[in-house]
Amino acid sequence: MNILNLLKYFPPYPGGIENIACDLIEELAARGVQETVLSHGSSPYTGNSDITQILSRNYGEFLYTPVSPSFPVKLHKALKHGKYDLMHIHLPNVSAFWPLFMKIDIPIVIHWHSDVLFPREKRLCRAAYTGYALFEKALLKKASAIVPTSEAYMEYSRPLKNFRDKCRVIPLGLNFSRMTPVSDFEKDQAKIKWCGTDDCFLVAAAGRFSHYKGFEHLIDAASSLENCVVVIAGDGEMRAELLRRAEKAGLAGKVVMPGRLSDRDLHLLMASCDAFCLPSVERTEAFGVVLLEAMFYGKALITTDIKGSATSWVNQSGETGLVVPVKDSAALGKAVKQLQEHPDKTVQMGLAGQKRLYEKFSIVRTADGFHNLYQELL
């Protein structure tokens, strides 16, 4: 089975979706699925040698879209000279609309990672989506199958409303072998590094510093916490603003934003923390892959109740962690205090999350779902 895979970016570009896509491709390769990946960038992937990669150089981004003139040329050449059984397209990705202008006589599977959503203040982006939506609808119509990553997201998604009959929900899954083994000694040392002591309550968070992550609410929540350190790992356009916010609130030492960490250092942070928080505020946070990584290390979760997102399905309220209202700093603070004051329950929640991860969110299960879908379409 030969698949042509269209991605916005591919590792070594950092990102949860990029890593998940890579792990899925490698897992499918073990089932005899040969994949050619066409993505933007200039750094080749150095993993599985069975994956053929085609890189389309990009010259920056405009409205979160890679400027990559060679993408349609390379796609046309790949279709002309390659023999593919199926095309797997990841959305959102503007370059993924090029197949609409080419003769495609193979099934198309759309991997629907999230709707395209912007806050009100991003007026240019919201205006540009009007045009994007036309191509998006045309591609959904052309697709043989659409794969949202959760029932919740499918039910709440406006673009998918008229295409439910094509939808097959396949949840994302974690490649457990990607995670760093961490000893008890390493956990203790990592906690001392972040807290200065081993008896504080350490809350970890991670992700791109973007408008939908809600890190400002976690920073505000930290003001009410005692004997607690909040570490928010990552980088992005809002980091400087959030650093100023924490400094203005006098939270030096209580809120730490170290920038983007290596995979190993991020895993050490997750393994050493007492709870992991994802305070996102919009459905752009469609699934929360980073939650799966925290669950791997047996950590209680704190998430927000985003309507139509999978985060409140991944994190079962009262079982694997706590779920609080969106944009509610006081509720975030109360949730942290609740876990801090009930350490035994916090440990139980973390272990329940770890069990849920192994039962429902492995990359093997995700690959099984796609392999079955491919076979049905062919």
Side-chain angles (χ1 to χ4, degrees):
M1 192 185 299
N2 265 339
I3 308 294
L4 179 58
N5 210 305
L6 305 190
L7 269 162
K8 186 174 182 180
Y9 294 112
F10 198 62
Y13 183 91
I17 295 302
E18 288 74 23
N19 285 335
I20 289 286
C22 177
D23 292 337
L24 174 59
I25 290 169
E26 291 206 347
E27 190 66 35
L28 287 168
R31 291 163 168 74
V33 178
Q34 296 180 334
E35 305 230 19
T36 297
V37 178
L38 172 56
S39 63
H40 305 96
S42 55
S43 300
Y45 175 62
T46 58
N48 192 325
S49 59
D50 293 333
I51 298 173
T52 301
Q53 187 179 21
I54 304 172
L55 283 168
S56 176
R57 185 177 180 84
N58 60 293
Y59 301 88
E61 289 192 354
F62 177 69
L63 299 181
Y64 303 98
T65 300
V67 179
S68 185
S70 66
F71 197 97
V73 177
K74 296 195 173 187
L75 174 58
H76 182 267
K77 186 180 292 185
L79 289 169
K80 183 177 181 181
H81 299 291
K83 293 183 178 179
Y84 302 105
D85 301 303
L86 184 144
M87 183 182 290
H88 185 138
I89 297 176
H90 298 258
L91 289 182
N93 177 13
V94 172
S95 294
F97 296 150
W98 284 112
L100 291 170
F101 305 98
M102 300 177 186
K103 184 179 180 181
I104 308 291
D105 57 2
I106 55 176
I108 293 176
V109 172
I110 294 178
H111 203 160
W112 191 266
H113 293 287
S114 74
D115 296 356
V116 176
L117 303 165
F118 295 105
R120 290 182 179 178
E121 60 268 22
K122 291 188 178 290
R123 295 179 181 178
L124 182 58
C125 293
R126 290 168 68 90
Y129 177 71
T130 304
Y132 178 100
L134 297 175
F135 296 104
E136 181 182 67
K137 184 176 181 180
L139 190 60
L140 289 170
K141 188 175 181 179
K142 189 180 182 71
S144 300
I146 304 163
V147 181
T149 56
S150 71
E151 292 281 350
Y153 213 87
M154 178 185 69
E155 293 295 331
Y156 216 80
S157 171
R158 183 175 295 179
L160 298 184
K161 182 178 180 180
N162 296 322
F163 300 97
R164 298 275 177 80
D165 58 321
K166 292 185 179 183
C167 287
R168 170 81 70 85
V169 173
I170 302 177
L172 299 178
L174 187 66
N175 178 3
F176 304 140
S177 66
R178 183 186 288 280
M179 306 305 291
T180 305
V182 180
S183 68
D184 289 339
F185 175 77
E186 289 174 313
K187 291 179 188 178
D188 293 340
Q189 292 302 301
K191 190 166 190 179
I192 292 172
K193 170 188 173 182
W194 296 114
C195 295
T197 176
D198 61 357
D199 67 350
C200 82
F201 193 82
L202 179 59
V203 178
R208 179 170 178 79
F209 281 54
S210 189
H211 64 273
Y212 68 91
K213 287 295 185 179
F215 290 141
E216 64 272 22
H217 303 292
L218 181 56
I219 291 171
D220 293 346
S223 299
S224 65
L225 302 175
E226 298 294 335
N227 194 31
C228 178
V229 173
V230 176
V231 179
I232 310 175
D235 204 352
E237 62 270 20
M238 289 188 66
R239 183 166 178 262
E241 177 186 333
L242 294 176
L243 283 167
R244 289 193 296 270
R245 189 186 193 99
E247 183 181 4
K248 186 176 180 180
L251 296 174
K254 183 176 278 191
V255 174
V256 182
M257 286 176 271
R260 185 174 177 271
L261 301 178
S262 67
D263 286 347
R264 174 173 173 76
D265 286 341
L266 178 59
H267 294 164
L268 282 171
L269 171 61
M270 288 181 170
S272 63
C273 74
D274 297 288
F276 186 87
C277 182
L278 187 65
S280 301
V281 297
E282 294 181 12
R283 288 180 58 251
T284 309
E285 191 71 76
F287 197 90
V289 173
V290 71
L291 295 175
L292 305 184
E293 297 179 330
M295 291 163 77
F296 177 85
Y297 293 108
K299 301 304 168 180
L301 306 175
I302 300 173
T303 58
T304 49
D305 189 17
I306 308 168
K307 301 302 180 186
S309 170
T311 56
S312 296
W313 173 60
V314 174
N315 178 26
Q316 301 277 287
S317 183
E319 180 182 337
T320 62
L322 302 175
V323 179
V324 304
V326 174
K327 299 181 180 180
D328 192 331
S329 300
L332 282 171
K334 288 178 181 178
V336 172
K337 288 178 183 177
Q338 183 177 336
L339 296 181
Q340 189 176 11
E341 292 169 358
H342 300 88
D344 290 343
K345 180 63 174 176
T346 299
V347 171
Q348 289 175 11
M349 286 180 171
L351 294 175
Q354 192 176 58
K355 180 181 178 183
R356 180 169 170 76
L357 170 72
Y358 279 96
E359 289 177 349
K360 292 191 175 292
F361 303 117
S362 73
I363 195 64
V364 173
R365 287 176 63 95
T366 306
D368 284 343
F370 274 100
H371 194 247
N372 291 338
L373 176 60
Y374 291 167
Q375 290 181 318
E376 288 176 23
L377 293 176
L378 296 176

